[in-house]
Amino acid sequence: MKPKYRINFLAKINTTKNRIIMKTMLLCIFLSVSFAFVSEKSGGYEIEWKMIFIPALLVLQIIIISTALKNRYKKN
């Protein structure tokens, strides 16, 4: 027996705006990991590997805050 209402979660997640946000976060994680790897190999900086994900989280927070402010002050 099929359910009466079918919720398609992938259709809600896979929007254009969400894809751009995910690509931005993945790029930020990739850049921070590559910077940490190169600096660790060259001996320039001592990187604590737990701190790698902070730039991606900061980008996500900036995107969320700017979207919230845009939605709050948009003209009707």
Side-chain angles (χ1 to χ4, degrees):
M1 185 170 156
K2 290 186 178 182
K4 195 172 193 179
Y5 300 105
R6 185 173 178 195
I7 300 173
N8 192 356
F9 290 111
L10 290 178
K12 290 182 180 181
I13 293 173
N14 198 13
T15 61
T16 306
K17 192 181 284 187
N18 288 346
R19 276 189 249 145
I20 292 171
I21 291 171
M22 290 298 195
K23 285 180 184 178
T24 307
M25 288 178 57
L26 287 175
L27 177 67
C28 197
I29 289 173
F30 174 73
L31 289 175
S32 58
V33 167
S34 61
F35 174 75
F37 183 72
V38 167
S39 62
E40 190 76 26
K41 289 294 182 183
S42 66
Y45 295 110
E46 297 240 350
I47 302 294
E48 193 168 327
W49 288 95
K50 297 175 192 172
M51 303 295 205
I52 292 296
F53 300 104
I54 289 178
L57 292 174
L58 289 174
V59 168
L60 179 64
Q61 286 178 353
I62 290 169
I63 291 170
I64 289 172
I65 290 170
S66 64
T67 305
L69 287 174
K70 191 184 337 175
N71 289 339
R72 180 182 173 108
Y73 293 112
K74 70 179 177 183
K75 295 179 181 178
N76 292 332

